[in-house]
Amino acid sequence: TARVMVNRLWTLCFGDGLVRTPNDFGLQGEAPTNAALLDFLAVRFRDGDAQTKPWDVKALLKLIVTSETFQQSSRFTPELLSRDPDNRLLARGPRFRLPAEVIRDQALALSGLLVPKIGGPSVKPPQPAGLWEAVSYNGEARYLADKGDAAHRRGLYTFWKRQSPPPDMLTLDGPTREVCTVRRPRTNTPLQALLLLNDENYLEAARALAERVIAEGGQDDEKRLQWLFRTVLSRKPDAKEFSMLTAALTKQRDLYQNDPKAAENAIQVGESLPKNVAAPAETAAWTLIANLVLNLDETVTRN
């Protein structure tokens, strides 16, 4: 039991387990890439130590994520690639796309909209209309999105209808929950980028993040772009990125200044109300830039 649980938590942190067949821990499965490490962590998890209790999941996760192995860079050299092409020996840090729930929670957290409340009934965030009606027997089952804080709860609490699972979760490889899924697949499709650019949940998060940029990022575009990048990606933009973002911001600002109605429509998305209604063109322009940064591969990937 301890080995299986350790392997699943290792998979959560590294993308792959020490045993790469988590659905088969028997003789027909793969051998551990580091059997001694798996044994050490399993015994530590089962028995605890002077500071931790037995079966303490948080303590085990803390031990893993504070290790040098987890914190090393995911960049690789030709030498590392030749020695460890599949990164089975963890010669470099793991790199994989985040799970569907984490991507949405991350966007809400960056925007300041995430409600950290723990526990309670399931919630129904916004989703495209008509999905429940299409699969119901009598056409009367309707999806009514929740209002207020319930719309911004963590993905863990999203209501799940097995005939019609949340479309954003499915698009990002969430399981249908009709059968047990030990390991989720990871795909990379254009539909995922379209989701992050156009879904109401992510547009609302982008608008709220844009309002944070305007309020907290400084008084000029350069400082605001630097703040946005540091907040989302924990680094500063390079010269090429800064140039591209500046050009995109100028283009969007001109567009919305010439079309005030489009600017108002762009910021009136989601359950939360825009704060800076006096300058809709500026908020709308920064919303598009924030949306762009939230859609970057680097944003949704564990590097």
Side-chain angles (χ1 to χ4, degrees), residues 164-180:
S164 180
D168 57 332
M169 300 290 186
L170 289 185
T171 302
L172 292 168
D173 302 321
T176 62
R177 302 191 184 183
E178 293 173 304
V179 295
C180 176

Side-chain angles (χ1 to χ4, degrees), residues 2-22:
R3 285 186 178 90
V4 172
M5 191 61 188
V6 164
N7 196 61
R8 291 192 180 187
L9 294 174
W10 188 274
T11 302
L12 178 68
C13 296
F14 286 91
D16 283 302
L18 291 168
V19 176
R20 295 207 169 191
T21 53

Side-chain angles (χ1 to χ4, degrees), residues 1 45 48 75 79 83 87 127 136 164 179 201 254 288-289 293:
T1 300
F45 182 51
R75 294 181 180 274
E79 179 185 1
R83 286 173 48 199
N87 204 29
Q127 72 174 30
S136 63
S164 180
V179 295
N201 296 281
D254 291 343
L288 269 293
I289 300 303
V293 174

